[in-house]
Amino acid sequence: MRKRFLFILILLLSITSKASFILLPMDETSQKNHLKAYGITYWCLDKNYKASWLLNYRGGSFLLPDAEEIRKECQIRGVSFEIISDGEEVAILNEISSPSQNMESVILEKAPKIAVYTPKGKQPWDDAVTLVLTYAEIPFTPIYDEEVLSDQLLLYDWLHLHHEDFTGQYGKFYGAYKNVPWYIEQKKEAETLASKLGYSKVSTEKGAVTKKIRDFVIGGGFMFAMCSATDSFDIALAADGLDICEAMFDGDASEGNYQSKMNYNNSFAFKDFILERRPEQYEFSDIDMTSKRRIPMDKDYFTLMEFSAKWDPIPSMLCQNHTQLVKGFMGQTTAFDLPLIKSNVLVMGSCELNGEARYIHGQKGKGMFTFYGGHDPEDFQHQVGDPPTVLDLHSNSPGYRLILNNVLFPAARKKKLKT
């Protein structure tokens, strides 16, 4: 009888201690490769596994079911993981649900369909998001003006814009590169594409693209933009119907007194900005802080805001990291002047030393957008022709983690934003 009792007891203990979950820890010391951990989570969602994002628990860890193929995938990709039992999972969720803890468990429902707005033939290292998606092994589809104008955005949940110019001024590279072959070729290609699509000017064609992207967001899509795609996008919306391009860009003079005719109600994030009229200036407007910065490289950091995970899960998801202090980096658009940000836009990362926002988020219609200043989180001052960033050397980059937070965000079961 005693032997039978011991056998049943051992059997019960073995069942209760059975490993049923995989935890991908995302704190600073436990995870060997933060960036590829996002790729593992996306891979699981794509294979219809259930997943949870444990906000503020060990740096925003991921909870996955225990399956042999998931373990193998983690090992292949070099992602740290921990096997936990049912009892340990219950204990973790109980800790997270406690009112005294600023934590939350968010269910991830499906792998979002990702589109990256990029011209054909562009190299992955020209765009930090394309680079990190490739590194994390998260699939995406490159699209450009033809696809956008033919309403193919409806096929996607998430759209990324990077070092783009939606104003038709060819990135304001005129001053430094107007006689360089690559600039001349890119200008010619843009003009040919605009003509093919039925537009007399590149600025008019880019304006039509901008409005299609605006409608994608209003209809419920999620847009993530970096560098010059942030301010040039808003400028194009505010300048709708105006000619703000000088003759070297579109063949005729700009419209008289166009600054007074800007409609800031049309823009997503910025208000009351003043455009940079001089064509030789590598700048679009006073939104950007690049020329106003007085911060040495070794002191250039920005701070992520802390939000209530239970009440404000959306910004909490977007700010998940293993540190609140993120190394700064520059770009054509490095950061945003705080007074020029609309009051309904949430500042999620800022540098108080310079009065600038680095990372902002807002809602437009049924959709949402995030703007992130700078070009490459691990290349402080990226120059044309610089070698590509090798992400194997930066697999735990806090700056790149912010990008991947945005990639997984559309997978989450949404709760209403309280902030």
Side-chain angles (χ1 to χ4, degrees):
M1 189 70 178
R2 176 181 283 183
K3 287 183 179 180
R4 186 178 178 187
F5 174 77
L6 286 173
F7 175 77
I8 293 172
L9 181 63
I10 291 169
L11 181 63
L12 287 172
L13 286 172
S14 67
I15 291 171
T16 56
S17 63
K18 179 179 180 291
S20 296
F21 294 92
I22 292 174
L23 181 75
L24 305 186
M26 296 295 279
D27 50 323
E28 188 170 7
T29 57
S30 302
Q31 183 52 254
K32 291 185 296 185
N33 197 316
H34 286 92
L35 304 186
K36 284 187 180 288
Y38 288 88
I40 290 289
T41 305
Y42 187 98
W43 181 86
C44 288
L45 292 172
D46 198 41
K47 288 186 169 292
N48 297 316
Y49 283 108
K50 294 180 180 179
S52 295
W53 199 347
L54 308 183
L55 305 185
N56 294 343
Y57 178 79
R58 295 180 63 181
S61 300
F62 299 106
L63 187 65
L64 311 171
D66 184 25
E68 186 61 32
E69 65 171 344
I70 300 177
R71 293 192 193 193
K72 286 182 178 177
E73 201 65 29
C74 288
Q75 291 165 346
I76 290 168
R77 300 193 193 189
V79 173
S80 306
F81 65 97
E82 298 172 9
I83 306 300
I84 63 173
S85 66
D86 285 341
E88 289 170 313
E89 184 255 359
V90 170
I92 290 170
L93 295 182
N94 283 340
E95 178 186 354
I96 288 171
S97 65
S98 169
S100 66
Q101 299 294 329
N102 184 20
M103 300 177 185
E104 181 65 298
S105 174
V106 174
I107 295 171
L108 301 179
E109 296 184 303
K110 64 166 188 167
K113 295 179 180 178
I114 299 169
V116 174
Y117 179 84
T118 183
K120 292 173 176 62
K122 200 168 188 179
Q123 299 300 321
W125 53 82
D126 291 331
D127 177 339
V129 175
T130 307
L131 184 66
V132 76
L133 287 172
T134 302
Y135 180 74
E137 301 179 57
I138 295 175
F140 63 92
T141 302
I143 64 169
Y144 205 51
D145 293 354
E146 290 179 273
E147 290 83 0
V148 172
L149 292 173
S150 61
D151 292 322
Q152 292 186 38
L153 284 179
L154 295 172
L155 302 173
Y156 302 97
D157 305 301
W158 192 92
L159 172 67
H160 165 59
L161 320 171
H162 200 86
H163 190 79
E164 302 294 340
D165 175 7
F166 293 97
T167 71
Q169 298 176 90
Y170 308 105
K172 294 297 290 281
F173 282 116
Y174 178 80
Y177 297 103
K178 59 180 175 290
N179 296 318
V180 176
W182 66 259
Y183 177 86
I184 296 169
E185 183 61 27
Q186 284 187 7
K187 184 173 184 292
K188 181 181 177 182
E189 288 174 355
E191 290 169 344
T192 301
L193 178 59
S195 177
K196 176 186 174 183
L197 295 172
Y199 297 89
S200 59
K201 293 182 178 183
V202 172
S203 57
T204 309
E205 187 258 332
K206 289 296 183 183
V209 168
T210 305
K211 286 185 282 188
K212 284 287 188 180
I213 296 172
R214 173 202 63 191
D215 294 344
F216 163 76
V217 177
I218 290 173
F222 185 80
M223 181 183 81
F224 176 78
M226 285 187 73
C227 201
S228 61
T230 58
D231 51 353
S232 74
F233 177 84
D234 256 18
I235 290 168
L237 289 176
D240 184 30
L242 301 174
D243 186 348
I244 64 172
C245 296
E246 303 303 331
M248 67 285 298
F249 300 126
D250 67 353
D252 57 29
S254 62
E255 186 169 328
N257 200 26
Y258 63 68
Q259 181 64 58
S260 65
K261 303 173 185 177
M262 298 286 287
N263 186 350
Y264 301 112
N265 291 326
N266 289 344
S267 56
F268 276 24
F270 306 115
K271 62 179 182 179
D272 304 332
F273 48 84
I274 306 299
L275 300 186
E276 175 53 69
R277 296 184 63 103
R278 295 169 292 176
E280 68 276 5
Q281 287 294 112
Y282 183 58
E283 191 61 273
F284 292 102
S285 75
D286 61 348
I287 295 170
D288 178 38
M289 295 292 289
T290 301
S291 62
K292 309 174 206 176
R293 309 186 87 236
R294 300 293 181 268
I295 306 173
M297 178 177 172
D298 62 334
K299 295 182 180 178
D300 193 354
Y301 288 83
F302 64 95
T303 304
L304 295 175
M305 307 304 174
E306 187 172 0
F307 298 93
S308 169
K310 289 180 173 62
W311 290 95
D312 290 327
I314 290 172
S316 293
M317 276 185 273
L318 298 178
C319 290
Q320 289 301 290
N321 227 308
H322 48 283
T323 176
Q324 276 193 282
L325 203 60
V326 182
K327 185 173 62 175
F329 54 100
M330 299 180 73
Q332 182 174 16
T333 302
T334 299
F336 318 118
D337 202 338
L338 281 167
L340 301 182
I341 299 173
K342 292 184 176 183
S343 59
N344 63 335
V345 173
L346 195 62
V347 175
M348 301 187 297
S350 63
C351 176
E352 299 297 334
L353 287 175
N354 212 44
E356 64 185 26
R358 298 298 308 256
Y359 188 45
I360 63 177
H361 177 75
Q363 186 168 348
K364 194 70 174 178
K366 296 179 181 178
M368 298 182 186
F369 64 91
T370 297
F371 289 171
Y372 189 16
H375 184 76
D376 184 332
E378 293 298 336
D379 185 350
F380 179 73
Q381 194 168 9
H382 184 82
Q383 302 289 334
V384 174
D386 278 358
T389 298
V390 179
L391 283 183
D392 272 328
L393 303 177
H394 307 285
S395 58
N396 306 101
S397 167
Y400 270 103
R401 274 200 69 179
L402 295 180
I403 296 173
L404 293 174
N405 286 340
N406 284 270
V407 172
L408 275 191
F409 166 71
R413 181 181 294 172
K414 304 300 185 296
K415 294 184 181 179
K416 189 174 180 181
L417 179 66
K418 303 293 183 181
T419 299

